[in-house]
Amino acid sequence: MKKIKFLVFGLLCMVTILSCTKNFDEINTDQNGFLPSEVSAKFFLTDTQYKLYSPDRFPYWRAHLIHADRFAGHFTFGFSGCWWADDLGYNYNAGYTDAAYGWLAGYLGNIKGFTDFVKEGGELENEYMYAMALIIKGLYYQMYTETFGMVPYSEAGVDGILTPKYDTQQEVYKGVIAELEEAIAIIGSTERTGVGVDDAGENDVYCGGDLQKWKRLANTLKLRIGMRALGAPGDDFAATAISEALAAPLLDETTGSVVMNKDFVISQWAAAAYGDVWYNFGTGSDWTVSSTLVNLLQDNNDPRLDAYVKPAKGGTFTFSNNPDTPDPNYQERLDFIISALDGAGAEYTLSTVGDETIIEMPAGQYVGQPSRINGDTYPYVRYDLFSTPSEQVIQAKGAQVDAYPEIILTSAEAYFLQAEAVLKGLQGATGDAQELFALGIKEAMRLWDVPDGDADTYIANEAAADITVGTLDEKLEKIAHQRWLMSYTDGFEAWAVVRDTGYPAELAAGVSNQTIFALGTLNGAYPQRLRYGSGAQDNPNFSAVEPVQGADMQGTTLWFAQ
C-alpha cells in the first residue's frame, strides 16, 4: 500500500493543473495522504482523453489548422491581411509537419502510461478502464495511420523494444479491430467501471463512465474502419468486421454522439481551442470558411449554415491595376473574385470609375472563399468579402461560454455508414437506406442544436437529403457529402472522407490554374497524407517503409484510399 501511495501521490502532483475535475480538487486538498479507498485510475483518465482531441496550442495550430482542417476543405487562408497565402501546408514545410508528427507519434506515451496503470497486474488495475484504454488506442491509431500511413503498432510501447517495426495500414486496422473486440468482450453487460472512487463518472469526458456507451463507441469505430478498408487491395477482413459491427449495438439517437466539451479551466498550453489562435494573434492568424462548404450548405438550404459560418461583413472594395507594377493577370484575378461572389449567390453592385473597379456588397451574406489561393492572387481576396467561422467555433476559452464540442465519434456517422452498407448490399446490412440516412442527418444537426423541425423540413424538401432516387454513385455521393459536412471542426476525419470517397469532388480534383491557385509541392494534386516528421528517421526500421508504401511525399496514396 505504501508503494501505491507514494507512486500515485507523485503522479497526481504532476497532473494537478491538467486534470481539473471536482473529485480531483477534493483529493488534492487532502493533506493527510491517500487511503486505498481514495486511489483510482480515473484521475489519470481525463488527461489521456483530452490530449488526443484537444492538444496544446502548438499542434492545434499546426496539425489542425494548417494541415487537416484545410486539406479537409473547410477552412482557408490567403486573404489580404492574412500572414500566409493559402499554399501553407500544401507547400511542404518540415517545421509544421514536425509539429503534427511530434504530437501524434508522442501521444502513444499517454496511452501506454494509462494502460500500464489499469492492465492486469497494474498499480491501479481495473479491467473496465483497461477496456476504455483499448478503445482510446483504437481511436488514436485510426487517426495516426490515416495521417501518415505505416506506423509502429505491433511492437510500439512493448517493453524492451526501442525501435519498433513499422506496420502496414492493413495490419494496423486489423490490430485495432482485434483490440476493440477484446474491449467489447471485457465490457459485456457491465454498466460502470466500479463503485465509489472506482466509478469513472465525470472524469470520463467521453462517455461519463457509461460502459455500454463505450461498447457502442467501439462497435461504431469498428464499422468505420471496416467501411474505410473495404475494397482496398488485399482487403481480407473488412466484410467480416462490417457484418459483426452491424449485428452489434451502435451509437444511435438514444445514446447520442460521443463528443468532448471544452474545459474552461485547463490552459491553452495544455488543451487548446480554435479561439486560442483566433483571438491571440489578430487578423493575421485568422481564417475564412471555404466556398465548398458554404455553397454546399447554402445551395441546399441547410439549417446548419449559421451554426457553422458567420456572414461576411461586406463593404466597398476598390480594385485597380497599379501602373507602376502592373499585374499582367489583373483582369483574370479580378474576374475570379467576382465569380466567387456569383457562385455564392451574393448580391453586390459592380461599377467602373476610370481605371478602378468597385464592388459594393451589403453585409449579412454567406460567401465562402475558394481554397488554395496563391500569393499573387492574395491581394485581391479582401477579408470582409468572405465568411468566417461562427462564434461557437472560434469561442475563446476564457469567455466561459460553451464552444463547439470536439467530435470523438457520432451517432450520425453510425447511421450514414449503415445507409451506405444497405445501398451496397453488404452482408449484415438491414433497414431502409433512406430512413437511416434521414436519422443520420437529424443526429448531425443535433450536434449543432438545430431544432428537429428544421431538420425535418430539410429532409422533406431538399434533394441533398433524398437517396431514394438516382444511381448508386449519386446516392453514395450524397452520403459522402453529409459525412463531410458532419465532420466540420473534425478536419482529420473530413480529410479522410474526401480521400476515401472522392467527395466533395471539387476538393479531390485538386487545382490546375497556377494564375489563381497555389499548386504547392504536389503541383495541384490533392494531398493524400502528411510526410513523416524528422524524428521518424531515427528508427532504423524506417528504411523499410518506402519499398512498401511508396515515397515519403504528400501525394503518396495510402492503402485505404487505393
Side-chain angles (χ1 to χ4, degrees):
M1 184 180 77
K2 184 175 181 182
K3 178 182 178 183
I4 292 176
K5 283 179 63 178
F6 281 119
L7 174 63
V8 175
F9 180 77
L11 289 168
L12 285 176
C13 287
M14 286 190 290
V15 299
T16 298
I17 296 175
L18 304 181
S19 300
C20 301
T21 64
K22 180 180 69 175
N23 290 29
F24 191 89
D25 289 340
E26 290 173 355
I27 285 181
N28 199 49
T29 58
D30 182 359
Q31 302 300 311
N32 300 314
F34 300 92
L35 299 173
S37 60
E38 297 174 314
V39 174
S40 172
K42 75 176 185 178
F43 298 119
F44 305 95
L45 175 61
T46 308
D47 184 67
T48 302
Q49 289 180 317
Y50 77 71
K51 285 185 175 178
L52 180 55
Y53 292 95
S54 183
D56 67 78
R57 198 179 75 189
F58 188 73
Y60 212 93
W61 191 347
R62 291 156 178 81
H64 295 65
L65 272 167
I66 289 177
H67 288 110
D69 290 327
R70 291 174 49 261
F71 292 173
H74 288 156
F75 296 150
T76 50
F77 294 141
F79 53 83
S80 56
C82 181
W83 289 345
W84 312 284
D86 205 31
D87 59 353
L88 186 68
Y90 294 97
N91 273 322
Y92 168 68
N93 180 293
Y96 294 136
T97 296
D98 280 359
Y101 182 77
W103 160 57
L104 274 172
Y107 177 79
L108 180 63
N110 296 330
I111 290 284
K112 177 173 169 51
F114 182 71
T115 303
D116 285 347
F117 269 138
V118 298
K119 70 182 181 181
E120 184 177 358
E123 297 285 359
L124 301 172
E125 179 180 343
N126 183 305
E127 64 177 328
Y128 302 114
M129 293 192 202
Y130 175 71
M132 289 180 176
L134 292 176
I135 298 167
I136 296 171
K137 182 181 177 182
L139 291 164
Y140 159 63
Y141 263 104
Q142 183 241 321
M143 186 191 301
Y144 188 21
T145 187
E146 290 175 4
T147 301
F148 297 102
M150 293 178 65
V151 292
Y153 173 77
S154 60
E155 295 180 353
V158 176
D159 291 341
I161 299 179
L162 300 180
T163 55
K165 70 173 184 176
Y166 281 72
D167 296 284
T168 66
Q169 190 162 73
Q170 183 179 18
E171 291 167 340
V172 173
Y173 280 160
K174 284 184 176 181
V176 167
I177 288 172
E179 292 192 308
L180 291 174
E181 291 169 347
E182 180 184 355
I184 290 166
I186 290 171
I187 292 172
S189 60
T190 307
E191 296 183 353
R192 310 296 297 186
T193 58
V195 296
V197 74
D198 288 323
D199 184 349
E202 65 184 15
N203 293 73
D204 170 15
V205 294
Y206 290 0
C207 299
D210 183 346
L211 284 175
Q212 291 306 302
K213 191 167 185 178
W214 274 97
K215 187 174 179 179
R216 288 174 180 265
L217 170 62
N219 277 319
T220 305
L221 179 59
K222 181 178 176 180
L223 177 60
R224 172 196 274 181
I225 293 172
M227 293 293 285
R228 186 147 291 158
L230 187 68
D235 159 36
D236 59 358
F237 66 92
T240 299
I242 292 166
S243 178
E244 291 173 350
L246 290 171
L250 301 166
L251 295 171
D252 61 16
E253 60 182 337
T254 301
T255 64
S257 299
V258 178
V259 298
M260 185 179 73
N261 291 326
K262 292 293 186 184
D263 188 288
F264 292 133
V265 179
I266 300 176
S267 163
Q268 63 184 284
W269 301 112
Y274 288 126
D276 297 326
V277 176
W278 185 278
Y279 289 106
N280 283 343
F281 298 100
T283 303
S285 68
D286 288 356
W287 57 97
T288 52
V289 183
S290 79
S291 57
T292 306
L293 181 73
V294 172
N295 293 349
L296 193 56
L297 291 167
Q298 193 159 234
D299 292 349
N300 295 289
N301 299 305
D302 195 307
R304 287 169 289 192
L305 180 62
D306 62 354
Y308 282 14
V309 182
K310 190 187 302 181
K313 292 181 180 179
T316 301
F317 308 91
T318 301
F319 301 84
S320 61
N321 197 3
N322 189 333
D324 296 328
T325 56
D327 177 3
N329 302 113
Y330 167 78
Q331 194 60 50
E332 182 178 354
R333 290 182 170 126
L334 177 58
D335 289 345
F336 173 76
I337 298 301
I338 295 170
S339 70
L341 303 182
D342 292 339
E347 295 181 3
Y348 63 92
T349 59
L350 185 70
S351 59
T352 301
V353 179
D355 295 332
E356 295 183 337
T357 296
I358 302 169
I359 295 175
E360 295 183 80
M361 189 181 84
Q365 303 185 73
Y366 295 96
V367 183
Q369 179 184 315
S371 300
R372 303 180 69 167
I373 298 295
N374 66 27
D376 292 327
T377 308
Y378 168 112
Y380 297 77
V381 186
R382 307 297 169 78
Y383 182 55
D384 289 345
L385 275 171
F386 298 102
S387 291
T388 54
S390 68
E391 286 299 325
Q392 188 174 359
V393 173
I394 57 172
Q395 185 60 251
K397 288 176 64 179
Q400 306 295 302
V401 177
D402 286 339
Y404 68 97
E406 296 286 355
I407 295 172
I408 313 304
L409 198 56
T410 67
S411 49
E413 182 171 358
Y415 283 123
F416 291 145
L417 293 176
Q418 289 176 82
E420 182 176 336
V422 170
L423 288 177
K424 291 180 175 179
L426 301 181
Q427 183 177 354
T430 59
D432 181 86
Q434 175 59 34
E435 290 179 3
L436 292 165
F437 187 49
L439 283 168
I441 291 172
K442 290 189 74 169
E443 287 297 288
M445 292 188 177
R446 283 171 180 158
L447 284 172
W448 294 85
D449 298 322
V450 173
D452 283 353
D454 292 348
D456 288 335
T457 299
Y458 174 80
I459 292 165
N461 294 288
E462 298 302 325
D466 183 5
I467 56 172
T468 63
V469 296
T471 65
L472 176 60
D473 285 345
E474 289 170 340
K475 295 174 182 179
L476 294 176
E477 179 180 2
K478 291 179 182 180
I479 293 176
H481 281 167
Q482 291 296 335
R483 290 180 63 198
W484 182 78
L485 289 170
M486 175 205 68
S487 299
Y488 182 58
T489 70
D490 183 8
F492 286 94
E493 181 58 24
W495 178 28
V497 168
V498 179
R499 288 176 287 161
D500 187 32
T501 68
Y503 298 113
E506 67 182 84
L507 296 174
V511 295
S512 57
N513 183 351
Q514 59 186 343
T515 300
I516 303 295
F517 299 109
L519 303 190
T521 305
L522 299 181
N523 196 31
Y526 186 71
Q528 297 295 315
R529 60 184 292 274
L530 288 187
R531 291 175 62 169
Y532 294 105
S534 56
Q537 292 80 3
D538 296 337
N539 184 339
N541 292 310
F542 181 72
S543 61
V545 173
E546 184 168 331
V548 176
Q549 179 167 282
D552 184 20
M553 300 295 291
Q554 288 180 329
T556 296
T557 303
L558 299 182
W559 179 77
F560 79 85
Q562 293 176 359

